[in-house]
Amino acid sequence: MMGPAHSLSGAAAWLGVGAAAAAFDEPMPWPVLLVGALICAGAALAPDLDHKSATISRAFGPVSRGLCEIVDKLSYAVYKATRSKADPRRSGGHRTLTHTWLWAVLVGGGCSLAAVSGGRWAVLAILFVHLVLAVEGLLWRAARMSSDVLVWLLGATSAWILAGVLDQPGNGSDWLFTGPGQEYLWLGLPIVLGALVHDIGDALTVSGCPILWPIPIGRKRWYPLGTPKPLRFRAGDWVELKVLMPAFMVLGGIGGASALGLFG
């Protein structure tokens, strides 16, 4: 799928988690619901770090473009080193390492560890990166027409304000994890979810997605999971634009309203 659809699906997924949390008597404070949805929307772009033409490659100028080249080469090297004889030969690393459950868990876990051990500046950095990505994905038309500096300033200002809101008692810095020193441990959850939602979205397209690597399926280690081939579509096709994106908006709205208790 394309960047806007990935971001919308990420936001909708976190709002759905908020609805589920409320149903199981672990309701999210509204700042957690909002910040988590934005982080998840941004994280849903991150697996495309292996693609130099993806939205994320433009998000941070030369830094993100250089990082995409490095990740592409790393992913390709891992693919070549671990492919089985049944896996096809490739010329690049797109839709390999960064499109797996293992990558999602490692990145999300790393961000949680950084948030807990790195203090406020680590939290601000995590928020900044994902809020910039959320703007690039959810407000992509405005982001394309604006300068990168303005998008970065919006991300930095929003990160500072939202971190201040979360730090207030009862606003959710210790949501779900309430032990001493566990504030912001939950930040990794929307990052994991966003990456997995991205992978599931790509599994709906014609190429599929090797989500389960390194678990082998049949004779392949990089088996591209997906829906039955007649039901798959190409990225940017009308199914994505006319069906999935409106569905994500509706489902996200329902999930958000349920999470905030507006239905009952």
Side-chain angles (χ1 to χ4, degrees), residues 185-244:
L185 186 60
W186 62 269
L187 277 185
L189 298 178
I191 294 172
V192 173
L193 181 61
L196 292 178
V197 168
H198 177 111
D199 297 345
I200 293 170
D202 279 353
L204 301 177
T205 63
V206 292
S207 300
C209 188
I211 303 172
L212 294 182
W213 182 87
I215 301 171
I217 297 179
R219 296 171 54 238
K220 293 184 177 182
R221 188 166 287 130
W222 293 89
Y223 186 87
L225 289 179
T227 54
K229 289 188 177 181
L231 299 179
R232 300 185 191 185
F233 57 88
R234 294 188 179 279
D237 203 351
W238 67 270
V239 176
E240 179 179 334
L241 301 176
K242 303 296 184 181
V243 178
L244 293 181

Side-chain angles (χ1 to χ4, degrees), residues 119-141:
R120 181 174 177 79
W121 288 107
V123 171
L124 287 171
I126 293 168
L127 290 177
F128 168 70
V129 168
H130 289 90
L131 290 176
V132 168
L133 292 177
V135 171
E136 293 282 354
L138 297 175
L139 303 176
W140 65 276
R141 290 185 188 275

